[in-house]
Amino acid sequence: MSIAYRSSEIPTVLIEPVIRRIRLKLGDHFIADTTHAIVIYENGGHPTYYLPRADFVAGALTATSKSEPAPLFGTKTFWSLQSNGITLPEKAWSYDGAQVGIPELGDYVTVDWRSVHWFEEDREIFGHPRNAYWRIDTLPSSRLVEVFVDGKLVARTRRAIFLFETRMIARYYFPVDDLVEGTLVPSDYTTYCPYKGAASYYHFDLDGKRHENIVWYYREPFPESSMIKGLISFYNEKVDIRVSSGNAE
């Protein structure tokens, strides 16, 4: 199944086959295993995997009486999940595809992301699946990057790694040694990016004022983002970052 459509009534939707193996684990047991999943993109948002009902373990899906209209894909029907004594009511759903004229959509089911563990091949994935049309580029640059907090210069570097991510603003990562003012204070806050990995954060203390969680770094980024390993980045939105157009000061 590979379908893209758009009309004045229906948002942009892309449905494509998934080549990689997708598995779902509930508790200690896998409840689905397929190489015939589809992925659905809605309005360019995060993709959602849908798995053939036939590729769920027998008894893992139980039909419920709950359904509701879904303007995009037709009637939404809910399923409960079961595995070795674990029951999760109404944590999976499917669509009949009537709204878009795709009746075969009713043969596919997706599951609430947080209810199970998702695997692509042998790697567990977190947050959400990666968008195949989303990319990250990391490029070293000798351009001068300066960071100002409350109008004060706190970092100055010509050793930044510029990170360009689809539809996102550029981020600038550089060595801690290029801080010239202020103090980094470890934070317990963390976030996760399916494209870069798990991010750890710092508060930033300057002149007696704490700026919470405005600096982050990746201890072990994914291989495609390995150039930013251990480097710090300031939130562009919370500080003033100035980047030269070339090598001039």
Side-chain angles (χ1 to χ4, degrees):
M1 185 188 301
S2 183
I3 301 170
Y5 59 87
R6 181 176 187 172
S7 74
S8 57
E9 294 80 24
I10 300 174
T12 301
V13 172
L14 177 63
I15 304 174
E16 293 184 326
V18 176
I19 299 173
R20 64 194 67 186
R21 181 188 187 190
I22 305 298
R23 293 183 293 164
L24 305 184
K25 191 175 186 180
L26 177 59
D28 296 326
H29 300 273
F30 285 98
I31 61 170
D33 187 343
T34 186
T35 55
H36 296 94
I38 59 173
V39 60
I40 298 181
Y41 299 89
E42 299 178 36
N43 287 329
H46 298 319
T48 303
Y49 286 145
Y50 287 75
L51 287 66
R53 275 189 286 148
D55 288 340
F56 280 77
V57 172
L61 285 176
T62 302
T64 75
S65 60
K66 182 179 179 180
S67 65
E68 58 188 37
L72 187 56
F73 295 123
T75 301
K76 181 178 183 180
T77 300
F78 289 84
W79 304 75
S80 294
L81 300 174
Q82 298 182 61
S83 177
N84 288 76
I86 300 174
T87 300
L88 300 179
E90 300 171 355
K91 289 299 184 180
W93 56 91
S94 59
Y95 296 95
D96 64 10
Q99 183 72 15
V100 290
I102 312 174
E104 59 266 39
L105 196 59
D107 296 329
Y108 293 83
V109 174
T110 192
V111 175
D112 175 72
W113 184 265
R114 293 167 295 182
S115 298
V116 297
H117 297 277
W118 292 75
F119 290 80
E120 292 177 341
E121 298 297 340
D122 291 339
R123 186 176 76 179
E124 185 172 2
I125 58 174
F126 302 91
H128 59 77
R130 294 185 182 191
N131 187 324
Y133 303 99
W134 192 285
R135 65 175 291 161
I136 289 177
D137 291 299
T138 50
L139 302 173
S141 178
S142 60
R143 291 164 63 186
L144 179 64
V145 178
E146 295 177 308
V147 181
F148 295 81
V149 176
D150 290 340
K152 187 171 187 176
L153 178 68
V154 300
R156 194 171 191 272
T157 185
R158 288 191 182 276
R159 301 188 291 169
I161 301 297
F162 288 22
L163 187 144
F164 302 99
E165 185 170 352
T166 304
R167 296 201 300 272
M168 305 289 284
I169 61 176
R171 301 294 187 185
Y172 309 100
Y173 291 80
F174 56 87
V176 174
D177 292 345
D178 290 344
L179 286 173
V180 297
E181 291 286 347
T183 303
L184 297 172
V185 180
S187 167
D188 292 331
Y189 185 60
T190 60
T191 57
Y192 185 84
C193 171
Y195 306 97
K196 298 186 290 292
S200 299
Y201 284 72
Y202 288 115
H203 305 308
F204 189 70
D205 288 355
L206 181 68
D207 297 333
K209 179 180 178 181
R210 173 158 294 182
H211 301 266
E212 294 190 350
N213 300 315
I214 68 168
V215 182
W216 73 88
Y217 66 100
Y218 291 88
R219 287 191 178 93
E220 296 293 338
F222 292 145
E224 55 266 42
S225 300
S226 61
M227 291 183 68
I228 64 172
K229 180 177 180 177
L231 304 182
I232 61 172
S233 182
F234 279 77
Y235 262 115
N236 306 45
E237 303 90 334
K238 298 180 180 181
V239 302
D240 180 18
I241 298 180
R242 302 175 192 176
V243 183
S244 72
S245 58
N247 285 327
E249 291 291 336

